[in-house]
Amino acid sequence: CLSVCPSDCVPACLSLPQQYVLLHDMVSAHNVVRCSVFRGTEEDTEEILSTDLVPGDVIVIPPNGMMMPCDAALVGGTCIVNESMLTGESVPVMKTQLPLPPRGQPDAAVSELLYDPEEHRRHTLFCGTEVIQTRYYSGERVRAVVVRTGFSTVKGRLVRSILFPRPSEFQLHRDAARFLLGLVGLATVGMAYSLTLSARQGESLGRMLVEALDIVTITVPPALPAAMTAGVVYAQQRLRGGGIFSTSPQRINTAGQVNLVCFDKTGTLTEDGLDLWGVRRIQDNRFCPPEHQVAAESLERSHFLVAMATCHSLTRIEGRLSGDPLDVKMFEATGWVLEEPSPEETALHDLMTPTVVRPAKQAPAETQASEERDLDIAAVMGCYEVGILAQFPFSSSLQRMSVVTRVLGERRLHAYLKGAPETVARLCRPESVPCDFWEVLENHTAGGLRVIALAHRCLEPRLSWHRLHSVNREVVECDMELLGLVMMQNQLKVQTVPVLSELHRAGIRCVMVTGDSMLTAVSVARESGLVPPQAQVIVAEAVPPRDGQPATVHWSYSQEGPTPDSQAGAEPSYHFALTGRSFCTLLEHFPDLLPKLLLCGTVFARMAPEQKTQLVEELQQVDYFVAMCGDGANDCGALKRAHVGVSLSQLEASVASPFTSRTPDISCVPRLIREGRAALVTSFCVFKFMALYSII
């Protein structure tokens, strides 16, 4: 047994320096940046190291982007930011400047607009995220005010959770230590008796000490620690042969006791992208049959196709479309082209030049005499182009986004709305919603598809381009006309369904913890088998106290539940779904209710990195042995805190994870648990043999 110890120690000793190097690189990557800081006037700037930044400094975001060294509020211009470090979703998002406070209002009204990093996420650049591109107005630079630095930032809290995790104890090691202490006590009694007896017989001091130490070594087996590592070492060798590497071999025994596994969604259970399944257009207040190709000449200038081509937050970065995968797939399905103004063109205008979309191949338009048509412009250009003048970004609380556009040659503006079908239907005129709308929606969502609704409205002439910047989005997003539905499919990885089925048969519970939206998470949970088809998903929405009202919890079904006939003879099944915000509210205001929800909670959506770590800790509080499987930097805290953390990435996640798999799917999880159980049984049998041998 002693001969196997070096093979166990050498890989661990070699991996620890690599782990510290990766962690050091992760922390210092944003601390060695040089920043331009305003000093006095706008023309007076000074370059300093990011380590010298303090809250209140106004920094300049360069046009070619930067790695953010701090949390900062954007006060001028717009930025395209990659927040995959926080959310795990490789989706660049657009950050806009903070809205200006209303002038001439009393102090009470202005106080409601105090800055809050969570409420103003759309205007905040977080530490560790990458600013890919900036857009600015003429003669102005993109500016941001530093609000947090160091360990107070979002990334600082993540690193702190990696450096100082809560200690996790293993019951076998704890019981073994207690048993050894008992043997030490027994050996102490025997040693005292031997010394007393030898002293009465007049033996020499050297012989007395030899006999006393002989009793101690017989009672307390010195080879026990080495013998117990035998199963771990052989299990580690088998795991290494399967492409699973460990930086903490003692966690292999812990893997044998895992009874709950938390999975990230994007890149873990599913592929990184979405696919367009099809569309259902509405004509004459009726749904058309499903269509899988929308780039037809007959639909080239329809409002439905224009909505798909304009209602998004896409941008071009180095000539490639970048943005939400859903938006990218929708836009590519139209076959249109997106053109953005260059920085030189933007600098020539007082207002930002709009983004333009147009069909890739089109015949010259036939100009018709109309008061809404500018014949001179249409005749000169001879093509159909749509400019995106204003954008109201997607909000998870509102579950919708909208844009205001103008067709080249027309004076009237058009608004297009995209969002959750239930939300969009409420904002549309009742006569434009088909009578079978909810039935069609349920059929598609039950099939595991993500359904998006589109709507259109022709704005009144009084709403001009210049007035758009002072108009509230509620003024635009009303009295819409429903255009139809777009169905997206999030492809599961090939190994996802069989692995989850294998874990379910083994009695191991599986849950999903993702930063994606609730609708997508529930859809993927049903498709992957985390939620059975006949089961009900109950969404628990916890609202924090506000305006003197106490915190409340609202319950709703994600969709219509199963009929009693479908549950005849079967065990009743229901699963809870929570968002990150609801989880925090329950943790703070309903501590007695949260453990009950965790026992049946399966879907946790919109979870921030620190919320994932808190969820793992709360699951451990209800006596679960928790394993976490993820692939992003946003999973680092949870991977470190879990009893067993498995990273599917060689990047940031491997820094905090005890186990790293070269196979980019979850097939490594049952293999790890299997080897952990084998090592655990071996260690337990060796412990019993060595302990009984010493006693006998």
Side-chain angles (χ1 to χ4, degrees):
C1 293
L2 289 174
S3 62
V4 300
C5 289
S7 64
D8 181 26
C9 297
V10 171
C13 293
L14 292 177
S15 61
L16 284 176
Q18 297 175 0
Q19 190 176 13
Y20 283 120
V21 168
L22 288 174
L23 182 59
H24 179 272
D25 293 342
M26 179 182 175
V27 176
S28 63
H30 63 274
N31 282 337
V32 295
V33 181
R34 297 193 68 86
C35 303
S36 296
V37 182
F38 285 104
R39 300 298 189 196
T41 64
E42 292 190 1
E43 300 298 331
D44 185 12
T45 59
E46 177 186 357
E47 283 199 1
I48 63 173
L49 289 176
S50 55
T51 52
D52 297 328
L53 290 174
V54 295
D57 283 340
V58 180
I59 61 176
V60 180
I61 310 297
N64 57 349
M66 64 181 297
M67 184 71 71
M68 287 302 300
C70 58
D71 290 354
L74 196 60
V75 294
T78 60
C79 295
I80 306 296
V81 185
N82 184 357
E83 291 189 334
S84 59
M85 194 280 299
L86 298 180
T87 64
E89 311 292 328
S90 299
V91 179
V93 296
M94 178 176 289
K95 300 285 186 175
T96 59
Q97 66 184 37
L98 284 169
L100 296 175
R103 297 181 178 179
Q105 297 290 335
D107 294 339
V110 177
S111 63
E112 298 178 358
L113 299 174
L114 293 177
Y115 172 78
D116 181 79
E118 293 301 322
E119 293 294 332
H120 298 90
R121 292 184 65 90
R122 281 285 179 179
H123 317 292
T124 304
L125 306 174
F126 293 103
C127 178
T129 60
E130 182 183 3
V131 179
I132 304 173
Q133 194 178 76
T134 63
R135 299 183 67 184
Y136 51 89
Y137 301 94
S138 67
E140 295 185 6
R141 286 181 284 188
V142 180
R143 308 180 309 277
V145 178
V146 178
V147 294
R148 291 181 299 201
T149 60
F151 282 105
S152 299
T153 63
V154 172
K155 188 170 184 177
R157 293 199 299 267
L158 176 61
V159 174
R160 186 168 51 191
S161 67
I162 297 174
L163 292 175
F164 309 105
R166 292 186 181 180
S168 57
E169 297 181 352
F170 185 41
Q171 186 175 358
L172 177 61
H173 296 160
R174 187 170 59 250
D175 293 343
R178 293 174 179 173
F179 185 77
L180 288 177
L181 288 177
L183 293 180
V184 169
L186 182 62
T188 303
V189 174
M191 184 176 62
Y193 175 77
S194 176
L195 290 174
T196 303
L197 185 61
S198 299
R200 289 179 178 178
Q201 295 176 355
E203 296 182 0
S204 63
L205 180 61
R207 184 172 180 82
M208 292 170 56
L209 292 176
V210 170
E211 291 179 352
L213 293 176
D214 188 33
I215 293 176
V216 173
T217 55
I218 292 176
T219 308
V220 182
L224 180 60
M228 290 185 64
T229 61
V232 173
V233 171
Y234 287 120
Q236 186 180 16
Q237 292 177 352
R238 291 191 295 268
L239 288 174
R240 191 181 299 116
I244 303 174
F245 300 91
S246 173
T247 60
S248 181
Q250 65 270 20
R251 297 288 186 103
I252 296 178
N253 274 336
T254 312
Q257 288 192 308
V258 166
N259 53 11
L260 184 146
V261 184
C262 298
F263 291 101
D264 185 29
K265 184 185 74 68
T266 305
T268 304
L269 297 177
T270 67
E271 302 290 349
D272 288 330
L274 290 168
D275 294 322
L276 180 67
W277 182 87
V279 300
R280 295 290 300 270
R281 295 185 297 111
I282 296 177
Q283 286 185 348
D284 301 328
N285 204 27
R286 293 183 179 181
F287 277 108
C288 297
E291 301 172 82
H292 300 285
Q293 296 291 335
V294 296
E297 293 184 3
S298 59
L299 301 178
E300 188 175 86
R301 304 186 183 187
S302 65
H303 286 302
F304 187 89
L305 198 63
V306 175
M308 292 182 62
T310 59
C311 199
H312 54 70
S313 57
L314 299 178
T315 184
R316 282 198 175 275
I317 299 176
E318 297 181 354
R320 297 181 58 185
L321 281 178
S322 183
D324 192 297
L326 184 146
D327 292 341
V328 173
K329 289 293 183 180
M330 285 180 58
F331 183 80
E332 290 178 346
T334 63
W336 284 36
V337 177
L338 183 142
E339 297 178 349
E340 286 187 323
S342 63
E344 293 77 12
E345 294 174 335
T346 303
L348 297 176
H349 301 84
D350 292 334
L351 295 176
M352 189 174 292
T353 307
T355 300
V356 175
V357 295
R358 59 177 175 81
K361 298 180 181 179
Q362 58 178 325
E366 295 182 2
T367 57
Q368 299 178 356
S370 172
E371 61 179 5
E372 297 182 3
R373 195 83 178 161
D374 192 329
L375 298 182
D376 294 335
I377 298 179
V380 170
M381 300 303 296
C383 61
Y384 185 77
E385 293 186 352
V386 182
I388 304 175
L389 306 183
Q391 179 188 112
F392 298 101
F394 177 80
S395 171
S396 57
S397 59
L398 300 178
Q399 295 187 337
R400 66 180 188 266
M401 74 162 294
S402 61
V403 295
V404 178
T405 67
R406 179 180 178 184
V407 179
L408 180 65
E410 290 187 4
R411 296 186 178 90
R412 294 284 290 273
L413 304 182
H414 296 264
Y416 293 97
L417 177 68
K418 177 181 73 175
E422 300 86 351
T423 303
V424 175
R426 290 197 301 268
L427 299 174
C428 293
R429 298 194 304 270
E431 60 271 15
S432 69
V433 181
C435 57
D436 60 342
F437 174 80
W438 301 107
E439 180 182 354
V440 171
L441 175 62
E442 181 184 350
N443 291 336
H444 289 302
T445 54
L449 299 176
R450 181 177 180 181
V451 183
I452 304 296
L454 302 177
H456 162 260
R457 174 190 171 192
C458 185
L459 299 180
E460 296 79 5
R462 62 182 179 84
L463 291 177
S464 62
W465 184 0
H466 298 283
R467 295 193 61 184
L468 285 177
H469 301 282
S470 59
V471 171
N472 199 350
R473 66 185 302 167
E474 282 74 16
V475 177
V476 177
E477 298 171 347
C478 64
D479 296 331
M480 309 290 288
E481 178 185 357
L482 190 63
L483 297 176
L485 303 176
V486 179
M487 281 73 72
M488 309 294 294
Q489 189 175 23
N490 197 187
Q491 294 286 351
L492 294 173
K493 290 187 176 180
V494 177
Q495 296 293 332
T496 296
V497 175
V499 168
L500 292 180
S501 178
E502 181 181 0
L503 293 175
H504 179 72
R505 292 194 302 270
I508 299 174
R509 184 181 162 203
C510 301
V511 301
M512 180 193 299
V513 187
T514 177
D516 210 338
S517 65
M518 177 65 73
L519 293 176
T520 304
V522 172
S523 174
V524 173
R526 288 192 179 277
E527 187 179 359
S528 63
L530 286 174
V531 177
Q534 74 277 7
Q536 292 178 333
V537 177
I538 302 175
V539 179
E541 182 182 0
V543 181
R546 182 179 300 175
D547 299 332
Q549 299 295 326
T552 57
V553 181
H554 303 285
W555 312 91
S556 62
Y557 292 110
S558 64
Q559 62 179 36
E560 187 175 349
T563 60
D565 295 338
S566 65
Q567 292 184 330
E571 183 181 355
S573 177
Y574 59 91
H575 299 258
F576 289 107
L578 297 172
T579 62
R581 182 171 297 183
S582 297
F583 173 77
C584 289
T585 304
L586 290 170
L587 185 63
E588 182 179 358
H589 300 282
F590 301 94
D592 297 331
L593 177 61
L594 182 60
K596 301 176 183 178
L597 293 178
L598 294 180
L599 293 176
C600 295
T602 304
V603 179
F604 298 88
R606 295 296 184 194
M607 298 289 284
E610 61 272 13
Q611 293 168 348
K612 291 184 178 183
T613 306
Q614 291 174 349
L615 174 63
V616 170
E617 293 173 353
E618 292 301 319
L619 289 171
Q620 292 172 341
Q621 291 293 328
V622 292
D623 296 331
Y624 276 113
F625 281 86
V626 182
M628 176 70 191
C629 183
D631 66 335
N634 61 317
D635 302 319
C636 288
L639 290 170
K640 188 74 172 181
R641 183 63 188 95
H643 292 105
V644 177
V646 185
S647 169
L648 304 184
S649 170
Q650 303 292 326
L651 302 177
E652 294 95 339
S654 63
V655 176
S657 177
F659 300 94
T660 302
S661 173
R662 285 185 176 177
T663 306
D665 56 51
I666 63 174
S667 60
C668 59
V669 175
R671 184 184 184 94
L672 176 60
I673 295 176
R674 192 180 301 114
E675 294 294 345
R677 291 184 176 182
L680 181 61
V681 171
T682 303
S683 298
F684 189 64
C685 291
V686 168
F687 175 78
K688 290 193 297 183
F689 173 79
M690 297 292 291
L692 291 175
Y693 175 80
S694 301
I695 294 176
I696 293 174

Tab-separated table of all heavy atoms in Angstrom, residues 157-196:
chain	number	residue	atom	x	y	z
A	157	ARG	N	-16.120	39.109	-5.959
A	157	ARG	CA	-16.874	38.190	-5.100
A	157	ARG	C	-16.725	36.753	-5.580
A	157	ARG	O	-16.682	35.814	-4.772
A	157	ARG	CB	-18.339	38.601	-5.064
A	157	ARG	CG	-18.590	39.932	-4.374
A	157	ARG	CD	-20.041	40.068	-3.952
A	157	ARG	NE	-20.943	40.017	-5.088
A	157	ARG	CZ	-21.388	41.087	-5.738
A	157	ARG	NH1	-20.996	42.302	-5.349
A	157	ARG	NH2	-22.224	40.975	-6.752
A	158	LEU	N	-16.660	36.574	-6.903
A	158	LEU	CA	-16.475	35.236	-7.448
A	158	LEU	C	-15.115	34.667	-7.052
A	158	LEU	O	-15.006	33.513	-6.611
A	158	LEU	CB	-16.613	35.282	-8.977
A	158	LEU	CG	-16.350	33.981	-9.740
A	158	LEU	CD1	-17.334	32.915	-9.307
A	158	LEU	CD2	-16.438	34.220	-11.238
A	159	VAL	N	-14.063	35.470	-7.184
A	159	VAL	CA	-12.723	35.021	-6.799
A	159	VAL	C	-12.653	34.760	-5.300
A	159	VAL	O	-12.025	33.794	-4.845
A	159	VAL	CB	-11.675	36.063	-7.231
A	159	VAL	CG1	-10.296	35.694	-6.708
A	159	VAL	CG2	-11.648	36.206	-8.740
A	160	ARG	N	-13.327	35.576	-4.523
A	160	ARG	CA	-13.322	35.395	-3.070
A	160	ARG	C	-13.985	34.071	-2.677
A	160	ARG	O	-13.533	33.386	-1.753
A	160	ARG	CB	-14.042	36.571	-2.412
A	160	ARG	CG	-13.975	36.581	-0.892
A	160	ARG	CD	-14.453	37.907	-0.354
A	160	ARG	NE	-15.748	38.279	-0.916
A	160	ARG	CZ	-16.296	39.482	-0.787
A	160	ARG	NH1	-15.645	40.426	-0.138
A	160	ARG	NH2	-17.473	39.737	-1.315
A	161	SER	N	-15.051	33.710	-3.403
A	161	SER	CA	-15.709	32.435	-3.117
A	161	SER	C	-14.828	31.249	-3.486
A	161	SER	O	-14.957	30.169	-2.904
A	161	SER	CB	-17.037	32.353	-3.879
A	161	SER	OG	-16.816	32.286	-5.281
A	162	ILE	N	-13.908	31.444	-4.464
A	162	ILE	CA	-12.976	30.372	-4.829
A	162	ILE	C	-11.858	30.257	-3.796
A	162	ILE	O	-11.461	29.156	-3.390
A	162	ILE	CB	-12.394	30.627	-6.230
A	162	ILE	CG1	-13.510	30.605	-7.285
A	162	ILE	CG2	-11.330	29.596	-6.573
A	162	ILE	CD1	-13.038	30.985	-8.665
A	163	LEU	N	-11.348	31.405	-3.352
A	163	LEU	CA	-10.227	31.401	-2.410
A	163	LEU	C	-10.646	30.952	-1.018
A	163	LEU	O	-9.879	30.269	-0.323
A	163	LEU	CB	-9.608	32.799	-2.336
A	163	LEU	CG	-8.873	33.300	-3.577
A	163	LEU	CD1	-8.439	34.738	-3.385
A	163	LEU	CD2	-7.671	32.422	-3.873
A	164	PHE	N	-11.840	31.323	-0.591
A	164	PHE	CA	-12.265	31.049	0.780
A	164	PHE	C	-13.622	30.346	0.787
A	164	PHE	O	-14.629	30.907	1.240
A	164	PHE	CB	-12.350	32.346	1.592
A	164	PHE	CG	-11.108	33.187	1.502
A	164	PHE	CD1	-11.080	34.344	0.738
A	164	PHE	CD2	-9.960	32.812	2.166
A	164	PHE	CE1	-9.943	35.113	0.650
A	164	PHE	CE2	-8.808	33.577	2.085
A	164	PHE	CZ	-8.793	34.726	1.328
A	165	PRO	N	-13.688	29.120	0.276
A	165	PRO	CA	-14.964	28.397	0.310
A	165	PRO	C	-15.236	27.861	1.712
A	165	PRO	O	-14.324	27.699	2.531
A	165	PRO	CB	-14.740	27.253	-0.682
A	165	PRO	CG	-13.270	26.989	-0.586
A	165	PRO	CD	-12.622	28.325	-0.338
A	166	ARG	N	-16.495	27.561	1.964
A	166	ARG	CA	-16.820	26.921	3.221
A	166	ARG	C	-16.277	25.499	3.220
A	166	ARG	O	-16.385	24.790	2.222
A	166	ARG	CB	-18.343	26.889	3.425
A	166	ARG	CG	-18.962	28.248	3.651
A	166	ARG	CD	-20.433	28.090	3.986
A	166	ARG	NE	-21.077	29.376	4.182
A	166	ARG	CZ	-22.367	29.525	4.497
A	166	ARG	NH1	-23.134	28.457	4.637
A	166	ARG	NH2	-22.877	30.715	4.648
A	167	PRO	N	-15.677	25.056	4.330
A	167	PRO	CA	-15.123	23.693	4.354
A	167	PRO	C	-16.233	22.654	4.286
A	167	PRO	O	-17.293	22.800	4.896
A	167	PRO	CB	-14.378	23.642	5.694
A	167	PRO	CG	-15.045	24.677	6.536
A	167	PRO	CD	-15.473	25.764	5.604
A	168	SER	N	-16.003	21.608	3.514
A	168	SER	CA	-16.956	20.507	3.397
A	168	SER	C	-16.333	19.261	4.006
A	168	SER	O	-15.211	18.875	3.662
A	168	SER	CB	-17.316	20.259	1.928
A	168	SER	OG	-16.169	19.992	1.169
A	169	GLU	N	-17.054	18.624	4.913
A	169	GLU	CA	-16.547	17.458	5.629
A	169	GLU	C	-17.089	16.181	4.992
A	169	GLU	O	-18.182	16.159	4.427
A	169	GLU	CB	-16.944	17.520	7.107
A	169	GLU	CG	-16.347	18.703	7.850
A	169	GLU	CD	-16.739	18.710	9.308
A	169	GLU	OE1	-17.587	17.876	9.680
A	169	GLU	OE2	-16.197	19.524	10.066
A	170	PHE	N	-16.286	15.100	5.100
A	170	PHE	CA	-16.679	13.801	4.588
A	170	PHE	C	-16.905	12.888	5.779
A	170	PHE	O	-16.039	12.758	6.653
A	170	PHE	CB	-15.588	13.260	3.669
A	170	PHE	CG	-15.957	11.968	2.998
A	170	PHE	CD1	-17.225	11.771	2.492
A	170	PHE	CD2	-15.026	10.951	2.880
A	170	PHE	CE1	-17.567	10.594	1.877
A	170	PHE	CE2	-15.358	9.763	2.260
A	170	PHE	CZ	-16.632	9.584	1.757
A	171	GLN	N	-18.043	12.220	5.844
A	171	GLN	CA	-18.431	11.473	7.025
A	171	GLN	C	-17.466	10.319	7.307
A	171	GLN	O	-17.142	10.036	8.465
A	171	GLN	CB	-19.854	10.943	6.860
A	171	GLN	CG	-20.397	10.265	8.118
A	171	GLN	CD	-21.853	9.870	7.961
A	171	GLN	OE1	-22.454	10.134	6.928
A	171	GLN	NE2	-22.399	9.237	8.972
A	172	LEU	N	-16.987	9.633	6.251
A	172	LEU	CA	-16.069	8.519	6.469
A	172	LEU	C	-14.782	8.997	7.129
A	172	LEU	O	-14.283	8.373	8.080
A	172	LEU	CB	-15.752	7.832	5.140
A	172	LEU	CG	-14.730	6.688	5.209
A	172	LEU	CD1	-15.227	5.566	6.105
A	172	LEU	CD2	-14.412	6.156	3.815
A	173	HIS	N	-14.230	10.110	6.653
A	173	HIS	CA	-13.009	10.643	7.260
A	173	HIS	C	-13.265	11.098	8.701
A	173	HIS	O	-12.417	10.909	9.583
A	173	HIS	CB	-12.480	11.810	6.428
A	173	HIS	CG	-12.056	11.400	5.047
A	173	HIS	ND1	-11.925	12.291	4.011
A	173	HIS	CD2	-11.739	10.179	4.540
A	173	HIS	CE1	-11.546	11.639	2.917
A	173	HIS	NE2	-11.426	10.363	3.214
A	174	ARG	N	-14.431	11.712	8.918
A	174	ARG	CA	-14.748	12.163	10.270
A	174	ARG	C	-14.907	10.980	11.222
A	174	ARG	O	-14.385	10.992	12.344
A	174	ARG	CB	-16.033	13.005	10.229
A	174	ARG	CG	-16.371	13.659	11.556
A	174	ARG	CD	-17.491	14.673	11.396
A	174	ARG	NE	-18.715	14.080	10.868
A	174	ARG	CZ	-19.186	14.309	9.655
A	174	ARG	NH1	-18.535	15.118	8.830
A	174	ARG	NH2	-20.312	13.733	9.246
A	175	ASP	N	-15.600	9.930	10.777
A	175	ASP	CA	-15.775	8.748	11.627
A	175	ASP	C	-14.451	8.019	11.827
A	175	ASP	O	-14.188	7.474	12.914
A	175	ASP	CB	-16.796	7.804	11.002
A	175	ASP	CG	-18.198	8.407	10.989
A	175	ASP	OD1	-18.421	9.381	11.737
A	175	ASP	OD2	-19.046	7.919	10.222
A	176	ALA	N	-13.608	8.001	10.785
A	176	ALA	CA	-12.304	7.350	10.924
A	176	ALA	C	-11.441	8.079	11.943
A	176	ALA	O	-10.733	7.441	12.746
A	176	ALA	CB	-11.600	7.300	9.569
A	177	ALA	N	-11.486	9.401	11.927
A	177	ALA	CA	-10.707	10.170	12.899
A	177	ALA	C	-11.193	9.904	14.322
A	177	ALA	O	-10.382	9.757	15.262
A	177	ALA	CB	-10.796	11.657	12.562
A	178	ARG	N	-12.518	9.825	14.492
A	178	ARG	CA	-13.049	9.544	15.828
A	178	ARG	C	-12.639	8.148	16.295
A	178	ARG	O	-12.289	7.936	17.465
A	178	ARG	CB	-14.570	9.670	15.813
A	178	ARG	CG	-15.067	11.096	15.589
A	178	ARG	CD	-16.577	11.117	15.428
A	178	ARG	NE	-17.080	12.474	15.231
A	178	ARG	CZ	-18.348	12.755	14.932
A	178	ARG	NH1	-19.235	11.771	14.803
A	178	ARG	NH2	-18.717	14.010	14.767
A	179	PHE	N	-12.680	7.185	15.367
A	179	PHE	CA	-12.305	5.821	15.738
A	179	PHE	C	-10.823	5.743	16.106
A	179	PHE	O	-10.436	5.057	17.060
A	179	PHE	CB	-12.625	4.880	14.576
A	179	PHE	CG	-12.386	3.434	14.891
A	179	PHE	CD1	-13.275	2.716	15.667
A	179	PHE	CD2	-11.251	2.789	14.415
A	179	PHE	CE1	-13.054	1.377	15.965
A	179	PHE	CE2	-11.012	1.459	14.706
A	179	PHE	CZ	-11.920	0.750	15.484
A	180	LEU	N	-9.988	6.455	15.339
A	180	LEU	CA	-8.563	6.459	15.649
A	180	LEU	C	-8.291	7.113	16.995
A	180	LEU	O	-7.395	6.683	17.744
A	180	LEU	CB	-7.784	7.174	14.543
A	180	LEU	CG	-7.674	6.423	13.213
A	180	LEU	CD1	-6.951	7.278	12.183
A	180	LEU	CD2	-6.935	5.102	13.408
A	181	LEU	N	-9.059	8.158	17.317
A	181	LEU	CA	-8.899	8.768	18.637
A	181	LEU	C	-9.259	7.787	19.740
A	181	LEU	O	-8.620	7.753	20.807
A	181	LEU	CB	-9.765	10.029	18.735
A	181	LEU	CG	-9.296	11.246	17.939
A	181	LEU	CD1	-10.297	12.387	18.069
A	181	LEU	CD2	-7.912	11.701	18.415
A	182	GLY	N	-10.281	6.966	19.488
A	182	GLY	CA	-10.623	5.929	20.462
A	182	GLY	C	-9.519	4.902	20.615
A	182	GLY	O	-9.207	4.450	21.736
A	183	LEU	N	-8.899	4.521	19.461
A	183	LEU	CA	-7.777	3.591	19.540
A	183	LEU	C	-6.596	4.211	20.261
A	183	LEU	O	-5.872	3.518	20.998
A	183	LEU	CB	-7.372	3.161	18.127
A	183	LEU	CG	-8.373	2.302	17.349
A	183	LEU	CD1	-7.815	1.956	15.982
A	183	LEU	CD2	-8.708	1.025	18.122
A	184	VAL	N	-6.374	5.509	20.052
A	184	VAL	CA	-5.290	6.185	20.766
A	184	VAL	C	-5.538	6.159	22.268
A	184	VAL	O	-4.616	5.930	23.077
A	184	VAL	CB	-5.132	7.630	20.252
A	184	VAL	CG1	-4.194	8.427	21.154
A	184	VAL	CG2	-4.613	7.629	18.831
A	185	GLY	N	-6.797	6.379	22.666
A	185	GLY	CA	-7.119	6.300	24.093
A	185	GLY	C	-6.891	4.910	24.648
A	185	GLY	O	-6.352	4.738	25.760
A	186	LEU	N	-7.301	3.890	23.852
A	186	LEU	CA	-7.079	2.514	24.289
A	186	LEU	C	-5.588	2.208	24.377
A	186	LEU	O	-5.117	1.539	25.322
A	186	LEU	CB	-7.761	1.560	23.313
A	186	LEU	CG	-7.676	0.066	23.638
A	186	LEU	CD1	-8.353	-0.237	24.970
A	186	LEU	CD2	-8.318	-0.756	22.517
A	187	ALA	N	-4.813	2.709	23.387
A	187	ALA	CA	-3.366	2.483	23.416
A	187	ALA	C	-2.724	3.187	24.604
A	187	ALA	O	-1.754	2.676	25.204
A	187	ALA	CB	-2.741	2.972	22.109
A	188	THR	N	-3.245	4.367	24.960
A	188	THR	CA	-2.697	5.098	26.109
A	188	THR	C	-2.893	4.314	27.396
A	188	THR	O	-1.994	4.222	28.250
A	188	THR	CB	-3.359	6.480	26.210
A	188	THR	OG1	-3.160	7.193	24.991
A	188	THR	CG2	-2.781	7.274	27.366
A	189	VAL	N	-4.100	3.722	27.543
A	189	VAL	CA	-4.351	2.897	28.738
A	189	VAL	C	-3.411	1.697	28.770
A	189	VAL	O	-2.821	1.352	29.809
A	189	VAL	CB	-5.822	2.443	28.759
A	189	VAL	CG1	-6.062	1.466	29.915
A	189	VAL	CG2	-6.735	3.643	28.899
A	190	GLY	N	-3.244	1.035	27.599
A	190	GLY	CA	-2.349	-0.124	27.557
A	190	GLY	C	-0.901	0.260	27.818
A	190	GLY	O	-0.155	-0.488	28.477
A	191	MET	N	-0.493	1.415	27.298
A	191	MET	CA	0.880	1.869	27.511
A	191	MET	C	1.115	2.178	28.983
A	191	MET	O	2.173	1.843	29.552
A	191	MET	CB	1.157	3.100	26.651
A	191	MET	CG	2.592	3.594	26.715
A	191	MET	SD	2.902	4.973	25.590
A	191	MET	CE	1.753	6.199	26.257
A	192	ALA	N	0.144	2.807	29.645
A	192	ALA	CA	0.292	3.107	31.075
A	192	ALA	C	0.376	1.825	31.895
A	192	ALA	O	1.190	1.708	32.834
A	192	ALA	CB	-0.875	3.973	31.538
A	193	TYR	N	-0.446	0.836	31.535
A	193	TYR	CA	-0.414	-0.439	32.267
A	193	TYR	C	0.923	-1.141	32.061
A	193	TYR	O	1.508	-1.699	33.002
A	193	TYR	CB	-1.559	-1.321	31.785
A	193	TYR	CG	-1.543	-2.703	32.379
A	193	TYR	CD1	-1.970	-2.929	33.694
A	193	TYR	CD2	-1.085	-3.790	31.639
A	193	TYR	CE1	-1.943	-4.205	34.240
A	193	TYR	CE2	-1.057	-5.062	32.175
A	193	TYR	CZ	-1.489	-5.256	33.480
A	193	TYR	OH	-1.453	-6.522	34.024
A	194	SER	N	1.441	-1.088	30.793
A	194	SER	CA	2.720	-1.743	30.509
A	194	SER	C	3.869	-1.073	31.269
A	194	SER	O	4.750	-1.750	31.814
A	194	SER	CB	2.999	-1.704	29.004
A	194	SER	OG	4.261	-2.250	28.706
A	195	LEU	N	3.871	0.258	31.312
A	195	LEU	CA	4.925	0.967	32.032
A	195	LEU	C	4.877	0.661	33.526
A	195	LEU	O	5.919	0.470	34.189
A	195	LEU	CB	4.801	2.476	31.794
A	195	LEU	CG	5.131	2.972	30.382
A	195	LEU	CD1	4.819	4.459	30.259
A	195	LEU	CD2	6.608	2.716	30.063
A	196	THR	N	3.659	0.611	34.076
A	196	THR	CA	3.523	0.323	35.511
A	196	THR	C	4.013	-1.088	35.829
A	196	THR	O	4.743	-1.321	36.813
A	196	THR	CB	2.056	0.490	35.934
A	196	THR	OG1	1.618	1.808	35.625
A	196	THR	CG2	1.899	0.234	37.431
